[in-house]
């Protein structure tokens, strides 16, 4: 799920985009004016912005100047090359010309999210974010205080998500084959992870075997 800001003054287009992106599992915030877009961008972080050029208040180019580090898809009624270049030169990641097919916009949104996620080297599940580069687990954007073993265990579950892992396998992968403690160690760490990350429903117990992290594919 991504947090997406839609800046488009035409209510029917804004609504069409919101409906389709929410069907794809994203959460959308709708804005209809350039100045309001600048205000909300200063207050809140988004994973992606869909930005119309011709807007009341500040126009799309002015809004674009306020955006740093967030991927942007420009919506433009203008099909002239110069307008597209102007947007791309000012930091937009992609553009789409109106009238557009919703399927095409949705595909571009997913492609851009995939690209940026890969670049960020993060895994996200519900409100939990695993940041591989910083070796951090964040819940609602706040770093969770966890031990190195708890971190390694979560990484192992994430890398093998939707696969049932036996306690012995987890011991091997996380603690190493020469670890002397019993499989009870795994249970204790799993319980702590579930509680710390609020993933009681996601980290499921596999009867008589071990554990599985359930995540959307
Ligand atoms: Ca417009």
């Amino acid at each position: 799920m991504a947090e997406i800001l839609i800046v488009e003054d035409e209510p029917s287009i804004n609504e069409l985009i919101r409906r389709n992106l929410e069907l794809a599992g994203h959460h959308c915030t709708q804005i209809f004016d350039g100045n309001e877009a600048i205000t909300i961008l200063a207050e809140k972080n988004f994973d992606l912005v869909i930005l119309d050029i011709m807007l009341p208040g500040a126009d799309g180019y002015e809004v674009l100047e306020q955006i740093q580090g967030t991927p942007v898809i420009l919506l433009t009624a203008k099909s002239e090359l110069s307008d597209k270049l102007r947007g791309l030169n000012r930091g937009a990641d992609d553009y789409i010309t109106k009238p557009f097919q919703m399927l095409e916009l949705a595909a571009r949104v997913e492609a851009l999210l995939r690209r940026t996620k890969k670049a960020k080297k993060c895994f996200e599940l519900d409100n939990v974010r695993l940041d591989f580069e910083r070796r951090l687990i964040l819940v609602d954007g706040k770093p969770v205080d966890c031990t190195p073993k708890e971190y390694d265990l979560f990484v192992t579950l994430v890398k093998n998500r939707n696969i049932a892992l036996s306690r012995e396998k987890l011991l091997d992968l996380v603690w190493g084959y020469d670890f002397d403690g019993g499989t009870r160690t795994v249970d204790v760490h799993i319980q702590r992870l579930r509680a710390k990350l609020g993933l009681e429903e996601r980290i499921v117990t596999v009867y008589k075997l071990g554990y599985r992290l359930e995540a959307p594919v």
Side-chain angles (χ1 to χ4, degrees):
M1 187 202 84
E3 283 290 334
I4 299 178
L5 177 67
I6 306 167
V7 188
E8 163 62 69
D9 59 313
E10 181 59 55
S12 60
I13 300 178
N14 196 317
E15 187 57 23
L16 180 73
I17 298 171
R18 181 195 67 79
R19 245 194 343 254
N20 278 276
L21 295 183
E22 290 197 344
L23 279 176
H26 302 301
H27 182 258
C28 298
T29 302
Q30 294 172 284
I31 292 284
F32 303 86
D33 172 285
N35 290 327
E36 283 170 30
I38 290 173
T39 305
I40 197 165
L41 280 161
E43 290 167 353
K44 210 177 156 210
N45 279 326
F46 294 93
D47 298 310
L48 188 142
V49 181
I50 294 172
L51 179 60
D52 188 23
I53 301 271
M54 303 296 280
L55 291 165
D59 71 13
Y61 298 119
E62 291 172 80
V63 176
L64 194 54
E65 281 168 16
Q66 307 300 316
I67 302 177
Q68 280 165 355
T70 306
V72 178
I73 298 177
L74 281 183
L75 282 184
T76 170
K78 304 171 173 179
S79 53
E80 289 89 3
L81 183 65
S82 62
D83 291 306
K84 291 170 186 168
L85 290 177
R86 190 173 166 202
L88 292 173
N89 284 338
R90 289 181 180 209
D93 297 87
D94 202 354
Y95 63 84
I96 194 158
T97 309
K98 292 194 263 186
F100 57 87
Q101 295 289 318
M102 198 51 229
L103 274 178
E104 188 188 355
L105 178 62
R108 284 177 187 240
V109 164
E110 296 309 324
L112 190 50
L113 285 173
R114 264 199 310 276
R115 272 199 330 259
T116 50
K117 211 170 257 179
K118 216 179 252 175
K120 276 196 210 153
K121 300 199 170 88
C122 282
F123 169 81
E124 284 175 5
L125 180 63
D126 301 336
N127 52 346
V128 176
R129 179 180 292 213
L130 172 57
D131 184 329
F132 294 103
E133 273 192 338
R134 293 192 292 162
R135 278 186 71 87
L136 274 182
I137 307 172
L138 303 111
V139 174
D140 293 324
K142 295 190 197 84
V144 174
D145 184 22
C146 64
T147 66
K149 280 286 176 266
E150 286 165 0
Y151 176 84
D152 291 344
L153 177 59
F154 189 54
V155 169
T156 303
L157 290 170
V158 165
K159 287 186 173 164
N160 298 282
R161 56 190 175 274
N162 300 315
I163 297 170
L165 296 165
S166 69
R167 291 179 175 80
E168 290 76 16
K169 181 85 179 166
L170 284 167
L171 267 184
D172 270 2
L173 291 172
V174 178
W175 282 266
Y177 63 90
D178 54 353
F179 178 71
D180 284 338
T183 52
R184 176 81 192 126
T185 307
V186 177
D187 299 326
V188 171
H189 279 76
I190 288 278
Q191 278 163 30
R192 285 196 205 129
L193 261 188
R194 276 177 177 154
K196 284 183 181 180
L197 308 185
L199 292 178
E200 289 88 350
E201 313 276 305
R202 294 289 196 180
I203 303 175
V204 302
T205 304
V206 182
Y207 182 63
K208 285 193 173 170
L209 180 84
Y211 300 96
R212 178 177 63 238
L213 177 69
E214 293 191 339
V217 223

